[in-house]
Structure formats: structure tokens, C-alpha cells
Amino acid sequence: MEELRIKCPSCGIILDVRNSRHEAVKQIVCPNCKKRLAVNFQDELPPATPKPIGALHYGEAVYPLLEGENTVGVKAPQSEAKIQIATGDSALLQKHATIHVVRLNNGDCKCIISKTNEEAAVSVNKQVLATGDKIVLVPGDQILLGNTLVEYK
């Protein structure tokens, strides 16, 4: 028989709930406030580890892209970029570009690059991005960030 100790979200009383029928979710009534509660007896799954959705390649270095916003910039102690490229390129800013990884309804993902900063020089396959431009990346794209050339795979 399983048993869980829970706290009623309405009144705060501590309850010991027994699950003799091995139900995944057991419905109970709080004896103190009479609130109906659903107690989950299923094992909690560990949080999913984010999987990379492609990567930027610079020389031998590989910088994985994760779902959501990936800011790209030069590696520096004060940089807040998620992806910090280790290069001596003074034209590569601390927050140079953003790559948004978006999951579509069919489960596929797409990566969309844009300039983070008006002064940032960004081009994809020699197509220069203006402020506000967004380009969907495809594997093999050559991205020039300042004077640093990376490849999206």
C-alpha cells in the first residue's frame, strides 16, 4: 500500500493519504475544509534534458542550439550571451545575434537568426541582415558574425 504526505492547498493541514487500490490519482476530501483534492500517486518523471537542435561550428568548436532564445556573441568575462564564441575578432560583439529555435506543431524545429544590435554585422550566405530582418537557417548555412565565419549544421 502506498502512502503520501500532502499539504491541503486550501487550509494547509497535513494529510497522510493511503492508496490501497493502487490508483494513479486518488480523489479525497480534506477533513478540515471539505475541499476535494486529487492526489497523484504516479511516479514523477525527471525534468527533460533539453536536446540540441542543431549547432554552430567554428573551427573545431561546436556550439549547440537549444529550444528558445540563443544569444550569440564573443567569449568575454562580462558577456551574457548563451553562446560565447572563443575568437579574437574585435568586430564580434558580446551580444551580436539571436537565434530563436522554435518547435512547430508537427514536432519539427526551425532556427531563425536576427541581429541583436544595430552595430552588429551579420550575414547568412553573403546576404546581409538589416535591423529587423529574420532568416530561417538551413543546415550548411555560412553565417558571418563580424569577421567570424560559423557554419550552421
Side-chain angles (χ1 to χ4, degrees), residues 53-81:
I53 316 290
L56 298 179
H57 294 253
Y58 175 68
E60 298 296 316
V62 177
Y63 301 93
L65 297 170
L66 299 176
E67 195 169 338
E69 184 177 290
N70 298 269
T71 51
V72 183
V74 68
K75 184 172 184 170
Q78 63 276 22
S79 178
E80 295 177 14

Side-chain angles (χ1 to χ4, degrees), residues 69-73 93-100 113-122 129-133:
E69 184 177 290
N70 298 269
T71 51
V72 183
L93 306 174
Q94 288 181 27
K95 281 191 169 180
H96 200 93
T98 301
I99 300 175
H100 288 276
I113 189 169
S114 61
K115 289 171 49 160
T116 303
N117 186 312
E118 197 171 300
E119 292 83 36
V122 179
L129 272 73
T131 302
D133 287 352

